[in-house]
Amino acid sequence: MIEDYIIPILVIAVIILSQALKMVKEYERVVIFRLGRLSGVKGPGLFLIIPIIDSVVKIDLRVVTIDVPKQAVITKDNVTIAVDAVVYYKVIKPAAAVTEVENYKFATAMLSQTTLRDVIGQIELDDVLSERETINKDIQELLDVSTDPWGIKVAAVTLRDVSIDETMLRAIAKQAEAEREKRARIILSEGEFLAAEKMKQAAQLYQDVPAALKLRELQTIAEVAREKNLIVISNSTNTAEIAALSKAFEKK
């Protein structure tokens, strides 16, 4: 009679054991609830649970990537832009990720969108375009503080694209052109100032050393004399010499 019950007992034991024996991978953990109360976290590898009494929730500990869709944001200087980003996070406390928030993936995604809009809305357009590293860091820190009670660590945040409408792009182009023109005028004015300073120094030198002025005059005359069809008249040339030079030039 006992032998008749051995096989059913073995079958029942195998079924219970198969339900009690669990296995998770290296990057996974299992949060166990016993009669509704948190019992602990198991894994990786093999472990046992009590069928029917225990319930489990599997958590992936690998880095998760969230593609934050484009968000229409009004910047501090009242410019409407569309910004999207990528958020990287991982679960570091599986029990908190299960007990502190209903759906940690959905909650983190929604919080990323809200934080992105809040941070961009406090910054001017020029800073959004030029200070991306700082903005990434600010968003990461805010997200990390908010998700820490959920057992989630935000590893990185990257702004992927900033879109601006055509009207604003033309305005930015005009602004850049005006900025370049301003710089060109400043450089030109600085050049004029330096030239005037050098001329002032040269005039002072000629005043102190009249012979230098005479040598400069002779050098200029020598340069002009290369043109064969010109008559050079200096303050040291008298009227008779001028007449003779003119007559000789006409004959030639």
Side-chain angles (χ1 to χ4, degrees):
M1 296 294 293
I2 298 177
E3 294 178 354
D4 295 337
Y5 294 101
I6 291 178
I7 294 176
I9 292 173
L10 290 176
V11 172
I12 294 174
V14 170
I15 294 174
I16 294 175
L17 184 61
S18 64
Q19 294 295 322
L21 188 62
K22 299 292 183 181
M23 182 183 68
V24 293
K25 298 180 179 65
E26 180 67 32
Y27 55 83
E28 295 176 332
R29 298 293 184 272
V30 168
V31 181
I32 301 175
F33 293 90
R34 182 161 297 167
L35 296 177
R37 297 180 63 85
L38 179 64
S39 175
V41 179
K42 298 291 185 179
L46 292 171
F47 59 92
L48 293 173
I49 64 171
I50 302 175
I52 302 175
I53 296 177
D54 290 345
S55 60
V56 298
V57 179
K58 187 182 294 184
I59 300 294
D60 195 324
L61 301 185
R62 292 176 294 181
V63 175
V64 180
T65 303
I66 298 178
D67 185 5
V68 181
K70 281 188 177 296
Q71 303 294 310
V73 184
I74 299 177
T75 60
K76 188 177 180 179
D77 49 350
N78 296 323
V79 178
T80 302
I81 60 177
V83 185
D84 62 344
V86 179
V87 177
Y88 304 89
Y89 74 91
K90 65 182 299 184
V91 177
I92 57 175
K93 298 177 181 178
V98 175
T99 59
E100 297 297 331
V101 61
E102 180 181 2
N103 186 334
Y104 69 90
K105 292 184 178 180
F106 179 76
T108 304
M110 293 298 101
L111 182 63
S112 300
Q113 296 181 21
T114 304
T115 305
L116 176 63
R117 290 195 297 267
D118 291 343
V119 172
I120 298 298
Q122 299 175 7
I123 304 174
E124 295 184 356
L125 176 61
D126 291 342
D127 294 332
V128 174
L129 299 176
S130 61
E131 301 292 337
R132 289 199 178 189
E133 292 296 330
T134 303
I135 296 173
N136 292 339
K137 185 177 180 181
D138 292 343
I139 296 175
Q140 177 188 350
E141 291 177 352
L142 290 174
L143 282 175
D144 202 27
V145 171
S146 299
T147 59
D148 184 65
W150 305 343
I152 294 175
K153 172 66 177 179
V154 178
V157 176
T158 303
L159 290 181
R160 189 166 58 180
D161 186 29
V162 178
S163 301
I164 308 173
D165 59 19
E166 293 296 331
T167 303
M168 184 54 59
L169 285 176
R170 288 194 294 269
I172 293 175
K174 290 181 180 179
Q175 180 182 3
E177 183 179 357
E179 184 68 22
R180 294 191 188 97
E181 184 177 356
K182 182 186 74 172
R183 294 178 182 177
R185 290 181 179 274
I186 292 175
I187 294 173
L188 180 61
S189 300
E190 291 177 350
E192 292 290 341
F193 177 78
L194 294 176
E197 285 289 333
K198 293 298 181 182
M199 293 179 67
K200 177 182 177 182
Q201 296 175 8
Q204 185 66 38
L205 177 62
Y206 290 146
Q207 181 178 0
D208 296 339
V209 185
L213 179 60
K214 185 62 178 179
L215 291 174
R216 180 57 182 163
E217 179 184 358
L218 295 176
Q219 182 181 5
T220 303
I221 292 174
E223 293 176 356
V224 175
R226 296 174 184 174
E227 300 293 334
K228 303 299 183 179
N229 57 349
L230 295 177
I231 298 176
V232 180
I233 301 175
S234 65
N235 55 2
S236 60
T237 306
N238 54 35
T239 305
E241 291 175 347
I242 294 173
L245 288 172
S246 300
K247 189 174 182 181
F249 184 73
E250 290 176 356
K251 290 181 179 181
K252 183 177 180 180

